[in-house]
Amino acid sequence: MIKKFLVSIVLLFSLAMSAQSGTASPYSFYGIGDITFKGAAENRFMGGVSVFSDSIHLNLQNPASVAGLRLTTFTLGATNSRTKLISNTQESKASRTSLDYVALAIPIGKMAFSAGLLPYSSVGYRTQTLAEIGSNDSSRRFEGKGGLNKAFAGAAYRLNSKWNVGLNAEYNFGEISTISYEFLPEVQLGSREDNISEIRGVTLNTGVMFQSKVNKKFDFFGSATFTPQTRLTLTNARTISTVTSAISAGTDKIDVDVPNTIVNLPSKFSFGAGFGVVRKWLLGTEITFRQSGNLGSRFNDITNVSYENSQKYSLGGYFIPNFNAYSGYLKRVTYRAGLRYENTGMVIAGKSIEDMAATFGFGLPVGNGSFSNVNLGVELGRRGTKAAGLIRENYANFTLSLSLNDKWFVKRRYD
């Protein structure tokens, strides 16, 4: 089943990823944009908890998890985001649909190999400000799009019945484009500034997983990952032109020399633990630390933001009434829920930008005797604050994913 759809889906994903905008947040102006990747849907519906190795689902947060797969697994996810942006003076709404990831993992004995493509961060905003100059108003308009993508390949090894280890190599690439317009009173033409940054870099992500019986019935799960700091190289270009309106392309263009920059993608360390019964229920928690205090801006003249080290706390789990029930479809459905709190590490006007959400979802089996499933879920959250003239975002993210399973490399018994 996987072989029939794999090539066409990957090509479709690659084309859609280059054109999509995964966020509508004005906070995506800073750094490398919003970190939109939050793991595979199955983990995302549990508040981001990824402390266990699943035999039929691909865990995209810990590279050691793929050693626990028993079948070749292909997964694809997409999200529709609906956001309400609220300031002290006005409100607005925005909606975006984006592809989240596409990945394939193949177990071969104690080894397992994986590869995939995912949008890691996204830039997507359009804002306008008015300022009074004498008896007239000046206006400024800001637009941005693009983001950072990751293509990864990895391997994992099952050391024994308790321990798995894994390593992913990730190639970071993408382009961020921002435009700003300014119109002054009693001046016939306005100005337009175009900034483009091409991003490149390589990251390594390592992981380890542990699973052991507490007694004959219950299991304990442990997980840890580490990603060292990565230097992203940004090739920058800037053009200034005159415009008659905020929709014109601009004339009398002048190229401005701006230096190329280095942005440090922060090092990340996570660890977590869980307790439960395999294929029945699990309750887990996970903590992630990022050294985001070292994160910088794309251009040296962006000075109204600073960064601090960030932390994310996740709590969640799943419940399956009876995974191998022959009758009663709802008994085989996986029910997931979780909570997440994150200090994003961004500080604007002296205010730390925080993000918190509640998540829940369902894993729906496809047919009888098949391990493939469709996952549906929602994430309801809030980010930012209205204090200091900033913006609070209330959002609802609706996610759909497919997890397709098949057995490859089976030796034929009959010709």
Side-chain angles (χ1 to χ4, degrees), residues 15-92:
L15 292 172
M17 188 183 69
S18 62
Q20 73 178 6
S21 177
T23 184
S25 172
Y27 293 117
S28 66
F29 171 81
Y30 301 101
I32 57 172
D34 279 347
I35 307 301
T36 53
F37 176 70
K38 299 177 182 178
E42 297 88 342
N43 304 110
R44 185 172 180 172
F45 299 156
M46 297 187 293
V49 170
S50 59
V51 299
F52 66 100
S53 181
D54 195 320
S55 61
I56 60 172
H57 295 104
L58 185 52
N59 180 337
L60 298 176
Q61 292 162 262
N62 191 326
S65 66
V66 296
L69 292 173
R70 295 296 177 263
L71 298 171
T72 296
T73 301
F74 174 77
T75 185
L76 172 75
T79 295
N80 174 258
S81 300
R82 300 171 184 265
T83 306
K84 186 175 184 179
L85 303 125
I86 308 171
S87 70
N88 289 323
T89 57
Q90 59 183 339
E91 298 181 1
S92 63

Side-chain angles (χ1 to χ4, degrees), residues 142-415:
F142 305 89
E143 301 176 10
K145 63 181 181 179
L148 180 67
N149 308 304
K150 286 179 179 284
F152 72 88
Y157 184 73
R158 188 169 69 252
L159 296 174
N160 50 46
S161 61
K162 296 182 179 180
W163 291 94
N164 296 344
V165 295
L167 171 68
N168 281 356
E170 303 170 344
Y171 176 65
N172 305 287
F173 65 98
E175 181 179 285
I176 296 175
S177 173
T178 60
I179 303 173
S180 62
Y181 299 89
E182 184 171 11
F183 297 91
L184 298 175
E186 300 180 357
V187 177
Q188 181 179 6
L189 297 176
S191 62
R192 167 174 168 159
E193 180 180 291
D194 291 77
N195 292 292
I196 297 177
S197 298
E198 294 185 357
I199 311 172
R200 299 291 185 269
V202 177
T203 305
L204 294 178
N205 184 23
T206 60
V208 59
M209 280 192 158
F210 174 81
Q211 178 180 342
S212 179
K213 285 285 186 182
V214 176
N215 52 38
K216 292 183 179 180
K217 183 176 182 180
F218 298 104
D219 289 87
F220 173 81
F221 304 87
S223 170
T225 66
F226 175 68
T227 304
Q229 179 176 286
T230 299
R231 290 167 60 90
L232 299 178
T233 302
L234 278 68
T235 303
N236 300 318
R238 175 175 294 172
T239 301
I240 296 178
S241 57
T242 57
V243 292
T244 57
S245 69
I247 60 173
S248 62
T251 58
D252 300 325
K253 295 182 179 181
I254 300 175
D255 293 326
V256 179
D257 288 334
V258 289
N260 296 334
T261 51
I262 298 293
V263 171
N264 293 316
L265 196 61
S267 62
K268 182 183 71 173
F269 172 68
S270 71
F271 66 93
F275 181 79
V277 179
V278 175
R279 293 185 292 275
K280 181 66 176 180
W281 64 270
L282 174 129
L283 180 64
T285 184
E286 193 166 4
I287 303 174
T288 302
F289 299 97
R290 284 189 176 89
Q291 295 293 321
S292 48
N294 297 327
L295 183 64
S297 297
R298 300 188 305 275
F299 294 90
N300 296 327
D301 53 4
I302 300 177
T303 58
N304 59 338
V305 62
S306 61
Y307 299 93
E308 61 186 2
N309 293 337
S310 65
Q311 308 85 38
K312 181 175 72 172
Y313 304 91
S314 300
L315 175 68
Y318 72 83
F319 172 70
I320 308 174
N322 186 354
F323 82 97
N324 61 354
Y326 288 100
S327 62
Y329 180 81
L330 294 180
K331 294 179 181 179
R332 295 188 290 122
V333 172
T334 303
Y335 302 88
R336 302 181 176 96
L339 298 170
R340 172 178 59 81
Y341 167 81
E342 182 176 4
N343 171 15
T344 65
M346 185 185 302
V347 182
I348 303 176
K351 301 294 182 180
S352 297
I353 306 303
E354 299 175 339
D355 188 357
M356 59 192 74
T359 61
F360 56 91
F362 308 94
L364 308 175
V366 177
N368 292 321
S370 171
F371 292 104
S372 299
N373 53 82
V374 176
N375 299 283
L376 301 169
V378 63
E379 179 181 41
L380 303 174
R382 185 180 72 184
R383 181 172 68 161
T385 175
K386 294 191 295 181
L390 300 178
I391 294 174
R392 188 180 73 203
E393 302 172 359
N394 297 336
Y395 59 83
N397 297 327
F398 302 91
T399 299
L400 166 69
S401 79
L402 303 177
S403 181
L404 308 178
N405 303 94
D406 200 359
K407 181 172 286 188
W408 289 10
F409 308 114
V410 178
K411 185 177 180 179
R412 292 184 179 179
R413 294 187 178 184
Y414 306 99
D415 292 328

